[in-house]
Structures are given as structure tokens and as C-alpha cells.
Amino acid sequence: CISDHGNHRVLLYNAIPLTSGAGANLVIGQLDFLSGSPGVGTNRLSNPTASFANGSLYVADKGNHRILKWNTLPTTSGAGASIVLGHGNFTANTLNDANGDGLYSPGQAIVVNGKLIAADSFNHRVLIWNSLPTFNGQSASVVLGQSSFNTTGSGLSSTRFSNPNAVASD
């Protein structure tokens, strides 16, 4: 899967392309391959920055201040997400200052050992859900980069971040 930030979509390939110029098999965030406007809802995106697939699909939807989860990999273009994080519903898209369930321009989300880990860029933190979220607006379990879920300042130390944009694990 490839996040196509400027076209407000994610392109899905059934396999890693072996030739240059290969077309994607599905598009998420738009109803078809020829649409590219931002939107909010279960099947729309605004400036997605990263996507992660592992049987489920996670998309950091930066412009809508949320992370979307598809419980299974989509099989049709325009498929709607199953769960939204950062908001309690799929129609909200305002920035969400620091709290356990809010996001402010997330950069990336990955799954490692049954945990969801997300860079919450403009809240200067990384959030960890100790189990994979199962409902809309579910709060994170752990916050890194801040002393609590209710603080948002950037900093320069072993415990602070300034706009983390990506996460990785081995």
C-alpha cells in the first residue's frame, strides 16, 4: 500500500510490482482512481501520510487528525474503514489537542506484537495501544514524549520529542 498524500488516497497493490509503471489494484479514500479531493467519512481521506497492512489496514489520515483501521484488507475500491481513532466518530475532523484519545496530525501507525504504535506528530508524542483497538475513539494505553496524556510541549531530552513523524520496530 502506498499513501498518496496530495491525492488524498491510498493505493493498494495485490503484490509488489515487478515492472515500472504498474497500476494499483484498489484505491482507498476516493471512490475511483480519477478522484482526488479531500474528505471526511468512513471512505474518505485528507492528506494520508502513511499506511500499514498486516491482514488489517491502518492509515494515518493527517488532515483529518485521525487513524483509520480496516479490520480486513479492502477488496473493493472506496471501501469504508471499520474503526476511527482520534475521534469518536467518522465525521469529526478537527484537530484534537492532547488527551488519551485525541490526535493532532498523526504521521504513521504500525502494528508490532499485537500493539498499535502511532506517531502523534503535532502533539509531540508517540502513542501505544497495548492491544489492537476495537472501537471508535479508543484511548491509547501508553504515551511517550510527554509526562502525561494531557501535555503537548515539544522538547529536547531523552523523554521528549518535537514532531515525531514515523515509528519503526524490529
Side-chain angles (χ1 to χ4, degrees), residues 41-88:
T42 62
N43 63 347
R44 298 298 308 278
L45 297 170
S46 178
N47 301 116
T49 54
S51 51
F52 179 84
N54 70 337
S56 298
L57 174 66
Y58 293 85
V59 174
D61 188 10
K62 192 169 198 151
N64 285 323
H65 310 288
R66 65 188 188 172
I67 294 170
L68 296 177
K69 176 188 179 186
W70 284 257
N71 288 332
T72 58
L73 291 176
T75 58
T76 59
S77 289
S82 309
I83 294 172
V84 61
L85 301 172
H87 297 288

Side-chain angles (χ1 to χ4, degrees), residues 9-62:
R9 65 187 188 170
V10 172
L11 298 175
L12 299 175
Y13 295 80
N14 291 339
I16 296 173
L18 300 176
T19 59
S20 299
N25 298 97
L26 301 172
V27 61
I28 300 300
Q30 301 295 324
L31 298 178
D32 57 48
F33 289 106
L34 301 177
S35 301
S37 61
V40 66
T42 62
N43 63 347
R44 298 298 308 278
L45 297 170
S46 178
N47 301 116
T49 54
S51 51
F52 179 84
N54 70 337
S56 298
L57 174 66
Y58 293 85
V59 174
D61 188 10
K62 192 169 198 151

Side-chain angles (χ1 to χ4, degrees), residues 64-68 83-89 92-97 99-104 106 127 129 135-139:
N64 285 323
H65 310 288
R66 65 188 188 172
I67 294 170
L68 296 177
I83 294 172
V84 61
L85 301 172
H87 297 288
N89 63 62
N93 70 344
T94 57
L95 71 91
N96 234 331
D97 287 312
N99 58 47
D101 59 0
L103 296 166
Y104 187 2
L127 299 174
W129 286 259
F135 59 88
N136 292 344
Q138 188 168 339
S139 295

Side-chain angles (χ1 to χ4, degrees), residues 78-135:
S82 309
I83 294 172
V84 61
L85 301 172
H87 297 288
N89 63 62
F90 288 99
T91 59
N93 70 344
T94 57
L95 71 91
N96 234 331
D97 287 312
N99 58 47
D101 59 0
L103 296 166
Y104 187 2
S105 297
Q108 184 181 25
I110 64 171
V111 173
V112 179
N113 296 328
K115 299 174 187 281
L116 177 65
I117 304 170
D120 187 9
S121 298
F122 291 174
N123 278 330
H124 310 290
R125 64 188 186 177
V126 169
L127 299 174
I128 301 171
W129 286 259
N130 284 333
S131 59
L132 298 180
T134 57
F135 59 88

